[in-house]
Amino acid sequence: MSKPVTYRFSFGPWNISEGGDPFGPDVRAAFPHDRKFALYKKLGFDGVQFHDDDVVPGLDDLKPAQIAARAKEVKKMLRDEGLTPEFVAPRLWFAHQTIDGAYTSNRAADRKYAWDRTRKCIDITRAIGSRAVVLWLAREGSYTRESKDARLAYRRLLETVDAILEYDREVEIWIEPKPNEPTDMAYVPTAGHAISLAYASRDHARVKALIETAHALLANLDPSDEMAFCLAHGKLGSVHLNDQNGLKYDQDKNFGSANLRGAFNQVRVLEEAGYGRRGEFVGLDVKTMRTQAGVPVTEHLAASRRLFLHLVEKVRTWDRARVEEYRAARDYEGLELYTLQHLMGVR
Ligand code: GLT
Ligand code: MN
């Protein structure tokens, strides 16, 4: 038996938020972005997830030298705190040019904006010392299916993946699938779609997926299977662990808070595949409840991390010999009861 993995955790600065939602304003004061780095280690986190404009605010209006200078500053801040930048994602859903999508927009000028922004994002990624670009394809989809040519959209997405691989010969692309929100129907809703794009690309070894619990659940799929599918292909770049209470808006609840057994199975799949041994982070993408007071709010991050570690213990003490007996006898009733009792601490 090899030594157990010591998991390393990451989150993005947007996970410490002010609590505004589409129906009401912020309820907490903002906590300065640059001061968030000092919180990570104390909370047990070593990795930082970024959007390109988390690193360089307002980058659309800045010159390359200004972008490089700010990225350098952030790199130093990370070094001073002993933190690793896990990935950078181009924020392609905020600007006016991305109203109808970015790479799949019907307008050539908007697609050009998306590509220029992506190049800047890659430069920022490298400048802060990361090699992973996350593509959360937020608006690559439609509200009305007749509005776009889907076949062309898929081709455009593949061209973009290829163009990134060519622009930088070392970066990896981690595609983060999500079936809906903000669009009604997305073009890359599941791990299967993301991994097919990978294999169709010019250098598939550098194209992987990032699986988020809530996104898989919104596709009515089992997150642990989505993760396992990527792992079976050697293509799980990272995860966004959180939870989701049924088919509704993207909730980003604390890991394990809606479905503890589902969370156990995600941890089990990761642990069984040796996830983390090649430096992968256990990424969280969790939102604080709007009702929570205090600035900065970090309880949700600490709780999700702690829950993950409790479940690692549950996975490691799940009696494998016993599980194999149940499997051999095809006694899945017995297996289920044993697993639930184990989760509940019943002896
Ligand atoms: C946004 C989204 C997440 C993505 C982030 C990275 S941005 O917060 O809800 O699922 O992972 O692009
Ligand atoms: Mn996410």
Side-chain angles (χ1 to χ4, degrees), residues 14 51 87 89-90 93 134 136 176 178 210 212 215 240 250 252 285:
W14 64 88
H51 295 118
F87 68 71
W93 52 92
V134 163
W136 174 48
E176 182 179 348
K178 185 178 182 185
L210 182 158
E212 171 163 327
H215 296 182
H240 267 174
D250 184 2
D252 295 347
D285 192 2

Side-chain angles (χ1 to χ4, degrees), residues 55 250 272 310:
V55 183
D250 184 2
E272 285 172 353
H310 286 321

Side-chain angles (χ1 to χ4, degrees), residues 207-221:
V207 188
K208 301 177 178 168
L210 182 158
I211 299 300
E212 171 163 327
T213 315
H215 296 182
L217 290 169
L218 286 168
N220 210 5
L221 294 172

Side-chain angles (χ1 to χ4, degrees), residues 39 45 123 224 323:
L39 305 171
F45 289 77
D123 294 345
S224 73
V323 169

